[in-house]
Amino acid sequence: DQQVKQNSPSLSVQEGRISILNCDYTNSMFDYFLWYKKYPAEGPTFLISISSIKDKNEDGRFTVFLNKSAKHLSLHIVPSQPGDSAVYFCAAIEWNTGNQFYFGTGTSLTVIP
Amino acid sequence: ETGVTQSPTHLIKTRGQQVTLRCSSQSGHNTVSWYQQALGQGPQFIFQYYREEENGRGNFPPRFSGLQFPNYSSELNVNALELDDSALYLCASSYSGGITDTQYFGPGTRLTVL
């Protein structure tokens, strides 16, 4: 049972525009969320996180928004750059369980120069 | 600071065989987690080790087992391989395994079971 879902397998965006990647989850007990970026032949690398007590977290060009009532989070990249082209995974965890992260299936972002 | 490395890069086995995958964590990282990523899926948590003890397990059968060594290396062993075990296997290390601890992933081992 997929508890974290990324319904868009791919997204193409022009360089300089905003990229919005979406993620939905079903488990209301999740209280910490992360985004990872993965280039081909490399492992995922941590990008940004958000705890359930916040609804927004910003780090440079990357902002994550959390809507707990909708069980939805999104990653905004502004402005998008060609080097952002990668697969993006969202992940979630329950604070109390401590170690089992649940990942979505990923969205492949292509930023067109 | 060295990154997380995994070996081998690729591996082909036949059904019923056993396989050992290896991971070298970043120095000082006491926690290693293993994930299975099937084609078109996200990584699925197999288990985590903290200071050489299993510290949590996902929904994987006992034929998936692991070891962690004091020198920051670890192993994932899979017995009685099945076709569905074909996947990319990722290890990730972190300092203490706390959920806000950044996990550093290796590049993975691609296992094909024929």
Side-chain angles (χ1 to χ4, degrees), chain A residues 2 12 40 69 90-91 94 98:
Chain A
Q2 192 75 25
S12 290
S69 60
C90 64
E94 282 182 56

Side-chain angles (χ1 to χ4, degrees), chain A residues 4-11 18-25 33-35 63-67 70-77 88-91 103-109:
Chain A
V4 177
K5 299 176 186 180
Q6 293 176 257
N7 292 319
S8 298
S10 63
L11 176 68
I18 184 171
S19 295
I20 300 176
L21 295 94
N22 294 304
C23 179
D24 297 293
Y25 60 96
F33 305 87
L34 309 91
W35 284 93
T63 304
V64 56
F65 294 92
L66 175 63
N67 182 334
K71 296 192 185 72
H72 177 84
L73 67 156
S74 60
L75 174 69
H76 292 209
I77 306 173
Y88 290 78
F89 292 98
C90 64
F103 281 80
T105 51
T107 296
S108 178
L109 173 66

Side-chain angles (χ1 to χ4, degrees), chain B:
Chain B
E1 183 181 86
T2 58
V4 178
T5 59
Q6 292 185 242
S7 62
T9 306
H10 295 90
L11 200 51
I12 300 175
K13 291 285 189 177
T14 56
R15 197 169 47 180
Q17 284 189 311
Q18 178 267 341
V19 69
T20 298
L21 310 181
R22 293 181 172 83
C23 173
S24 180
S25 301
Q26 287 193 191
S27 181
H29 283 190
N30 296 305
T31 302
V32 64
S33 301
W34 285 90
Y35 293 85
Q36 180 195 68
Q37 187 180 3
L39 202 59
Q41 301 298 313
Q44 271 200 289
F45 177 76
I46 302 175
F47 45 56
Q48 183 185 86
Y49 278 76
Y50 175 72
R51 292 188 171 175
E52 302 158 53
E53 298 284 333
E54 189 177 294
N55 186 39
R57 189 175 187 94
N59 190 26
F60 280 81
R63 59 189 185 83
F64 285 78
S65 63
L67 286 171
Q68 185 186 26
F69 304 101
N71 65 351
Y72 305 112
S73 67
S74 57
E75 291 179 355
L76 164 65
N77 298 290
V78 187
N79 293 323
L81 283 167
E82 300 177 359
L83 298 179
D84 283 350
D85 295 334
S86 295
L88 179 69
Y89 288 85
L90 297 161
C91 71
S93 73
S94 62
Y95 177 65
S96 68
I99 69 170
T100 58
D101 247 7
T102 299
Q103 289 194 92
Y104 294 87
F105 282 83
T109 293
R110 172 74 61 188
L111 172 65
T112 302
V113 182
L114 302 176

